[in-house]
Amino acid sequence: MATTQSFFRIQTDANLQSMQVGSIMRKVKSRAWKKQRYFRLQDDCATIWYKSKKAGNAHSTCKLRWLWKPPLISISDVEAVREGHQSEVLLSIADEFPPDRCFTLVFRGRRGNLDLVAESAEEAQSWVKGMRKLIENLENMNERERLDQWISDWFKKADKNGDGRMNFKEVQDLLKMMNVDMNEHHALRLFTMADKSQSGTLEDDEFVLFYKMLTQREEVLRIFQDYSSDGQTLSCRDLEEFLREGQLKQDHVQQHSMELIEQYEPSDTAKMRQAMTIDGFQMYLLSPEGSIFNPAMLEQHQDMSQPLSHYFISSSHNTYLMGDQIRGHSSVEAYIRALKRGCRCVEVDCWDGPNGEPIVYHGHTFTSKILFKDVVTVVGNYSFKTSQYPVILSIENHCSVEQQRTMAQHLTRILGDKLLRNALEGKGSDLPSPEDLKGKILLKGKKIGGLERSLDGVVEDSLAAEVSDEDDAAEIEEENLHNDSIRRKPKKSKQGLSKELSDCVVYCKSVHFNSFKHSRIHSKFYEISSFAESKAKKHMKDAGAEFVHHNARQLTRIYPNGIRTDSSNFNPQEMWSAGCQIVALNFQTAGMEMDLNDGLFTQNGCCGYVLKPAFMRSLEKRFDPEHPEIRDGYRPVTLTIKVISGQQLPKVNLKEGSIVDPLVRVEIHGVPKDQARQETRHIDNNGFNPMWHETLTFTIHVPELALVRFVVEDYDKTTKNDFIGQYTLPFSCLQQGYRHIHLLSKDGTSIPPSSLFVHIRIKEGT
């Protein structure tokens, strides 16, 4: 089938050929659980099949969408391959198996890794190199190849008996799987039209024809014909007109139209005539260039030479946890995942451990424990895989002075030159920039004395002080005590601070916050205060403009209230609206809050730093998020979104014959005045190609801070709607015109080819 051409092109690779022969490898879940399995790459080069060595039944890993246990691992679900002992599980058996025989398949989303041990180093290398080639091949596919691959996947799903053909019954089952509610007469008509061989079944190209008839986009065809002079193609002039009127572009449209034809038109004949067919037009609209997210904003484009306090910084809370705050599993894998998502501030909750080794866990709970030195090793190995800009290691220190010295030894020995130990030259009065600190890891924690004393060579003995600037137990008690007669301040243990650990802190000295006035007079540029979300909200309500001004000079960290034992998150947008830089979220918990975080930090090369708007960086002018109209340059905008259609939305209900009733909700997240949401009506029984043609209009007062979130839900009149997909992006990254929104799952992973088709128009003034 033509749909697998891109895979057949790489089948001559020796490593892939070895994978297709198959290998017996150990699947490892723990030191005690190591089972032999037979793994083999399928002929389609898109899936891996495996079974127990003794049983004939196929076994499976988890599927990305968690529908049920399938007998195959899809290559598209694999994000990366790690060689050697690069997982906790493989580290636990390092004394049994050498690193050159071990590797890990890392899956997208929050799904667990697959740890494997090959019989030889050569065999491990074949799988590692082969898997990386397959992943690279998938990532380099163009839009047509991606679509072809998707068609191929559906063919395999529908071909129940595996004979390479589809009868009409299998086609009917396929339509239900694809969320299509089509009457039998129309389905049979399409089937008969596609059955060119008149065999009563569909094979290869016949199925491709059937799929194309099924997915014909009437709304796209209508737009195409509106701009086509001859009704068949778009000439260069037609395309220029579409770019000006449809896509609301003004600059270089003549050159751009020729570039679009060259890049997206599949017909050589049309290219020679400098024209675009409907196929080329649709490929352009589905491409990254036709996406709602401006591709130029995905690249790193912001000024990275300003002080750290001028940036929003992607930040994680209790980074070590994979689950809740009471019984959750602690893992170095959580640090790897956060850092690979672009997180630039991770938290380490340190306690005294056995044998003189500090441990990391959520103190006074049943969460599991990991070694501090293992966390530092992972931070050293993964901090700069995704971004070269600095990582802040936020230490919540509950250790004795003796084990603090051990912490300092691990930090200096393991991190080496990556750990910032001294102030940068020429930066004695202001925070350095992300550019200045490229490749550096900064420690945030308590410090004996100040940066000035360190620069002068003054040393002090261990300081008897609170070494932790967070106390979740205190937060819980404070939030739950409502009776003044029984309210008391919880006792906080005082602990000495070792000079060795103190010396590792340079630009992020943790200090207690007194008041904005006190900070204005006494605070140093390198000091940072932490606030629980409830305290931060109170400061925003009482003195929003002061909070913004404070955050123009100094770093502020916000963390979830202690009562969030389920690892739920607060809305980070409220904190960003006050200019708070380090807004720490539980990365392990999917939901709207993490969607906003991912949406904000997708821009600027996913580097984990986003420059704050100019009015939030100024020390001369004040910005009050509660009264955004009182500022220079206040220009509200009107955002008009026409929700046109949806394409191939995933099923959420596994009941046989169940088809979604989708609706679209558009949410604006920003300053209080900009918080808004509107939704379309729901469409009955159509998740395949629902049509809305509804217009939603919003007034946005501070577009520089606004995020736009598109949510698709399955309507239910009796219970809560089911989540189908979402996409979140900064308002500043929107592209106007006809755009596709490529939906993401609850985990933030792509769910191709599910999308929305919209038209965006932005107008200054209201």
mmCIF file with all atom_site columns, all heavy atoms in Angstrom, residues 288-301:
data_model
loop_
_atom_site.group_PDB
_atom_site.id
_atom_site.type_symbol
_atom_site.label_atom_id
_atom_site.label_alt_id
_atom_site.label_comp_id
_atom_site.label_asym_id
_atom_site.label_entity_id
_atom_site.label_seq_id
_atom_site.pdbx_PDB_ins_code
_atom_site.Cartn_x
_atom_site.Cartn_y
_atom_site.Cartn_z
_atom_site.occupancy
_atom_site.B_iso_or_equiv
_atom_site.pdbx_formal_charge
_atom_site.auth_seq_id
_atom_site.auth_comp_id
_atom_site.auth_asym_id
_atom_site.auth_atom_id
_atom_site.pdbx_PDB_model_num
ATOM 1   N N   . PRO A 1 288 ? 2.077  23.025 9.398  1.00 0.00 ? 288 PRO A N   1
ATOM 2   C CA  . PRO A 1 288 ? 2.424  23.969 10.477 1.00 0.00 ? 288 PRO A CA  1
ATOM 3   C C   . PRO A 1 288 ? 2.217  25.427 10.068 1.00 0.00 ? 288 PRO A C   1
ATOM 4   O O   . PRO A 1 288 ? 1.844  26.261 10.888 1.00 0.00 ? 288 PRO A O   1
ATOM 5   C CB  . PRO A 1 288 ? 3.904  23.669 10.741 1.00 0.00 ? 288 PRO A CB  1
ATOM 6   C CG  . PRO A 1 288 ? 4.063  22.222 10.372 1.00 0.00 ? 288 PRO A CG  1
ATOM 7   C CD  . PRO A 1 288 ? 3.153  22.029 9.185  1.00 0.00 ? 288 PRO A CD  1
ATOM 8   N N   . GLU A 1 289 ? 2.429  25.721 8.767  1.00 0.00 ? 289 GLU A N   1
ATOM 9   C CA  . GLU A 1 289 ? 2.222  27.093 8.292  1.00 0.00 ? 289 GLU A CA  1
ATOM 10  C C   . GLU A 1 289 ? 0.755  27.488 8.329  1.00 0.00 ? 289 GLU A C   1
ATOM 11  O O   . GLU A 1 289 ? 0.420  28.659 8.456  1.00 0.00 ? 289 GLU A O   1
ATOM 12  C CB  . GLU A 1 289 ? 2.779  27.233 6.871  1.00 0.00 ? 289 GLU A CB  1
ATOM 13  C CG  . GLU A 1 289 ? 3.003  28.652 6.455  1.00 0.00 ? 289 GLU A CG  1
ATOM 14  C CD  . GLU A 1 289 ? 3.800  28.769 5.169  1.00 0.00 ? 289 GLU A CD  1
ATOM 15  O OE1 . GLU A 1 289 ? 4.354  27.750 4.720  1.00 0.00 ? 289 GLU A OE1 1
ATOM 16  O OE2 . GLU A 1 289 ? 3.868  29.876 4.624  1.00 0.00 ? 289 GLU A OE2 1
ATOM 17  N N   . GLY A 1 290 ? -0.126 26.488 8.221  1.00 0.00 ? 290 GLY A N   1
ATOM 18  C CA  . GLY A 1 290 ? -1.560 26.754 8.285  1.00 0.00 ? 290 GLY A CA  1
ATOM 19  C C   . GLY A 1 290 ? -2.127 26.607 9.686  1.00 0.00 ? 290 GLY A C   1
ATOM 20  O O   . GLY A 1 290 ? -3.334 26.719 9.894  1.00 0.00 ? 290 GLY A O   1
ATOM 21  N N   . SER A 1 291 ? -1.243 26.368 10.659 1.00 0.00 ? 291 SER A N   1
ATOM 22  C CA  . SER A 1 291 ? -1.671 26.192 12.046 1.00 0.00 ? 291 SER A CA  1
ATOM 23  C C   . SER A 1 291 ? -2.041 27.523 12.675 1.00 0.00 ? 291 SER A C   1
ATOM 24  O O   . SER A 1 291 ? -1.605 28.588 12.236 1.00 0.00 ? 291 SER A O   1
ATOM 25  C CB  . SER A 1 291 ? -0.544 25.531 12.847 1.00 0.00 ? 291 SER A CB  1
ATOM 26  O OG  . SER A 1 291 ? -0.766 25.658 14.230 1.00 0.00 ? 291 SER A OG  1
ATOM 27  N N   . ILE A 1 292 ? -2.804 27.447 13.753 1.00 0.00 ? 292 ILE A N   1
ATOM 28  C CA  . ILE A 1 292 ? -3.181 28.661 14.486 1.00 0.00 ? 292 ILE A CA  1
ATOM 29  C C   . ILE A 1 292 ? -1.982 29.272 15.202 1.00 0.00 ? 292 ILE A C   1
ATOM 30  O O   . ILE A 1 292 ? -1.940 30.461 15.459 1.00 0.00 ? 292 ILE A O   1
ATOM 31  C CB  . ILE A 1 292 ? -4.312 28.351 15.495 1.00 0.00 ? 292 ILE A CB  1
ATOM 32  C CG1 . ILE A 1 292 ? -4.933 29.647 16.024 1.00 0.00 ? 292 ILE A CG1 1
ATOM 33  C CG2 . ILE A 1 292 ? -3.824 27.451 16.623 1.00 0.00 ? 292 ILE A CG2 1
ATOM 34  C CD1 . ILE A 1 292 ? -6.193 29.452 16.818 1.00 0.00 ? 292 ILE A CD1 1
ATOM 35  N N   . PHE A 1 293 ? -0.958 28.462 15.514 1.00 0.00 ? 293 PHE A N   1
ATOM 36  C CA  . PHE A 1 293 ? 0.235  28.939 16.213 1.00 0.00 ? 293 PHE A CA  1
ATOM 37  C C   . PHE A 1 293 ? 1.237  29.441 15.183 1.00 0.00 ? 293 PHE A C   1
ATOM 38  O O   . PHE A 1 293 ? 1.692  28.692 14.339 1.00 0.00 ? 293 PHE A O   1
ATOM 39  C CB  . PHE A 1 293 ? 0.853  27.808 17.039 1.00 0.00 ? 293 PHE A CB  1
ATOM 40  C CG  . PHE A 1 293 ? 1.694  28.271 18.200 1.00 0.00 ? 293 PHE A CG  1
ATOM 41  C CD1 . PHE A 1 293 ? 1.371  27.925 19.495 1.00 0.00 ? 293 PHE A CD1 1
ATOM 42  C CD2 . PHE A 1 293 ? 2.823  29.049 17.993 1.00 0.00 ? 293 PHE A CD2 1
ATOM 43  C CE1 . PHE A 1 293 ? 2.141  28.346 20.573 1.00 0.00 ? 293 PHE A CE1 1
ATOM 44  C CE2 . PHE A 1 293 ? 3.605  29.480 19.055 1.00 0.00 ? 293 PHE A CE2 1
ATOM 45  C CZ  . PHE A 1 293 ? 3.253  29.125 20.360 1.00 0.00 ? 293 PHE A CZ  1
ATOM 46  N N   . ASN A 1 294 ? 1.579  30.709 15.266 1.00 0.00 ? 294 ASN A N   1
ATOM 47  C CA  . ASN A 1 294 ? 2.530  31.314 14.340 1.00 0.00 ? 294 ASN A CA  1
ATOM 48  C C   . ASN A 1 294 ? 3.876  30.590 14.435 1.00 0.00 ? 294 ASN A C   1
ATOM 49  O O   . ASN A 1 294 ? 4.530  30.633 15.486 1.00 0.00 ? 294 ASN A O   1
ATOM 50  C CB  . ASN A 1 294 ? 2.700  32.794 14.688 1.00 0.00 ? 294 ASN A CB  1
ATOM 51  C CG  . ASN A 1 294 ? 3.567  33.533 13.692 1.00 0.00 ? 294 ASN A CG  1
ATOM 52  O OD1 . ASN A 1 294 ? 4.300  32.921 12.914 1.00 0.00 ? 294 ASN A OD1 1
ATOM 53  N ND2 . ASN A 1 294 ? 3.481  34.846 13.706 1.00 0.00 ? 294 ASN A ND2 1
ATOM 54  N N   . PRO A 1 295 ? 4.334  29.923 13.373 1.00 0.00 ? 295 PRO A N   1
ATOM 55  C CA  . PRO A 1 295 ? 5.586  29.158 13.440 1.00 0.00 ? 295 PRO A CA  1
ATOM 56  C C   . PRO A 1 295 ? 6.792  30.001 13.847 1.00 0.00 ? 295 PRO A C   1
ATOM 57  O O   . PRO A 1 295 ? 7.711  29.498 14.494 1.00 0.00 ? 295 PRO A O   1
ATOM 58  C CB  . PRO A 1 295 ? 5.757  28.621 12.013 1.00 0.00 ? 295 PRO A CB  1
ATOM 59  C CG  . PRO A 1 295 ? 4.400  28.650 11.413 1.00 0.00 ? 295 PRO A CG  1
ATOM 60  C CD  . PRO A 1 295 ? 3.699  29.814 12.054 1.00 0.00 ? 295 PRO A CD  1
ATOM 61  N N   . ALA A 1 296 ? 6.786  31.275 13.492 1.00 0.00 ? 296 ALA A N   1
ATOM 62  C CA  . ALA A 1 296 ? 7.912  32.144 13.845 1.00 0.00 ? 296 ALA A CA  1
ATOM 63  C C   . ALA A 1 296 ? 8.043  32.297 15.353 1.00 0.00 ? 296 ALA A C   1
ATOM 64  O O   . ALA A 1 296 ? 9.154  32.489 15.885 1.00 0.00 ? 296 ALA A O   1
ATOM 65  C CB  . ALA A 1 296 ? 7.742  33.519 13.201 1.00 0.00 ? 296 ALA A CB  1
ATOM 66  N N   . MET A 1 297 ? 6.916  32.198 16.070 1.00 0.00 ? 297 MET A N   1
ATOM 67  C CA  . MET A 1 297 ? 6.935  32.355 17.524 1.00 0.00 ? 297 MET A CA  1
ATOM 68  C C   . MET A 1 297 ? 7.368  31.074 18.230 1.00 0.00 ? 297 MET A C   1
ATOM 69  O O   . MET A 1 297 ? 7.669  31.086 19.427 1.00 0.00 ? 297 MET A O   1
ATOM 70  C CB  . MET A 1 297 ? 5.547  32.770 18.032 1.00 0.00 ? 297 MET A CB  1
ATOM 71  C CG  . MET A 1 297 ? 4.984  33.988 17.350 1.00 0.00 ? 297 MET A CG  1
ATOM 72  S SD  . MET A 1 297 ? 5.999  35.454 17.636 1.00 0.00 ? 297 MET A SD  1
ATOM 73  C CE  . MET A 1 297 ? 5.323  36.036 19.171 1.00 0.00 ? 297 MET A CE  1
ATOM 74  N N   . LEU A 1 298 ? 7.373  29.959 17.489 1.00 0.00 ? 298 LEU A N   1
ATOM 75  C CA  . LEU A 1 298 ? 7.859  28.711 18.074 1.00 0.00 ? 298 LEU A CA  1
ATOM 76  C C   . LEU A 1 298 ? 9.375  28.733 18.225 1.00 0.00 ? 298 LEU A C   1
ATOM 77  O O   . LEU A 1 298 ? 9.934  28.075 19.108 1.00 0.00 ? 298 LEU A O   1
ATOM 78  C CB  . LEU A 1 298 ? 7.454  27.517 17.202 1.00 0.00 ? 298 LEU A CB  1
ATOM 79  C CG  . LEU A 1 298 ? 5.971  27.138 17.211 1.00 0.00 ? 298 LEU A CG  1
ATOM 80  C CD1 . LEU A 1 298 ? 5.688  26.118 16.120 1.00 0.00 ? 298 LEU A CD1 1
ATOM 81  C CD2 . LEU A 1 298 ? 5.560  26.582 18.566 1.00 0.00 ? 298 LEU A CD2 1
ATOM 82  N N   . GLU A 1 299 ? 10.039 29.483 17.356 1.00 0.00 ? 299 GLU A N   1
ATOM 83  C CA  . GLU A 1 299 ? 11.493 29.597 17.424 1.00 0.00 ? 299 GLU A CA  1
ATOM 84  C C   . GLU A 1 299 ? 11.880 30.521 18.575 1.00 0.00 ? 299 GLU A C   1
ATOM 85  O O   . GLU A 1 299 ? 11.089 31.350 19.014 1.00 0.00 ? 299 GLU A O   1
ATOM 86  C CB  . GLU A 1 299 ? 12.040 30.164 16.107 1.00 0.00 ? 299 GLU A CB  1
ATOM 87  C CG  . GLU A 1 299 ? 11.646 29.382 14.877 1.00 0.00 ? 299 GLU A CG  1
ATOM 88  C CD  . GLU A 1 299 ? 12.168 27.952 14.902 1.00 0.00 ? 299 GLU A CD  1
ATOM 89  O OE1 . GLU A 1 299 ? 13.317 27.767 15.350 1.00 0.00 ? 299 GLU A OE1 1
ATOM 90  O OE2 . GLU A 1 299 ? 11.432 27.044 14.496 1.00 0.00 ? 299 GLU A OE2 1
ATOM 91  N N   . GLN A 1 300 ? 13.107 30.370 19.041 1.00 0.00 ? 300 GLN A N   1
ATOM 92  C CA  . GLN A 1 300 ? 13.577 31.286 20.074 1.00 0.00 ? 300 GLN A CA  1
ATOM 93  C C   . GLN A 1 300 ? 13.797 32.655 19.437 1.00 0.00 ? 300 GLN A C   1
ATOM 94  O O   . GLN A 1 300 ? 14.629 32.817 18.541 1.00 0.00 ? 300 GLN A O   1
ATOM 95  C CB  . GLN A 1 300 ? 14.873 30.764 20.679 1.00 0.00 ? 300 GLN A CB  1
ATOM 96  C CG  . GLN A 1 300 ? 15.269 31.519 21.936 1.00 0.00 ? 300 GLN A CG  1
ATOM 97  C CD  . GLN A 1 300 ? 16.631 31.103 22.429 1.00 0.00 ? 300 GLN A CD  1
ATOM 98  O OE1 . GLN A 1 300 ? 16.882 29.929 22.638 1.00 0.00 ? 300 GLN A OE1 1
ATOM 99  N NE2 . GLN A 1 300 ? 17.512 32.075 22.573 1.00 0.00 ? 300 GLN A NE2 1
ATOM 100 N N   . HIS A 1 301 ? 13.043 33.640 19.883 1.00 0.00 ? 301 HIS A N   1
ATOM 101 C CA  . HIS A 1 301 ? 13.077 34.945 19.233 1.00 0.00 ? 301 HIS A CA  1
ATOM 102 C C   . HIS A 1 301 ? 13.148 36.103 20.219 1.00 0.00 ? 301 HIS A C   1
ATOM 103 O O   . HIS A 1 301 ? 13.278 37.263 19.814 1.00 0.00 ? 301 HIS A O   1
ATOM 104 C CB  . HIS A 1 301 ? 11.823 35.114 18.358 1.00 0.00 ? 301 HIS A CB  1
ATOM 105 C CG  . HIS A 1 301 ? 10.545 35.086 19.147 1.00 0.00 ? 301 HIS A CG  1
ATOM 106 N ND1 . HIS A 1 301 ? 9.959  33.911 19.552 1.00 0.00 ? 301 HIS A ND1 1
ATOM 107 C CD2 . HIS A 1 301 ? 9.764  36.088 19.610 1.00 0.00 ? 301 HIS A CD2 1
ATOM 108 C CE1 . HIS A 1 301 ? 8.859  34.188 20.228 1.00 0.00 ? 301 HIS A CE1 1
ATOM 109 N NE2 . HIS A 1 301 ? 8.723  35.490 20.285 1.00 0.00 ? 301 HIS A NE2 1
#
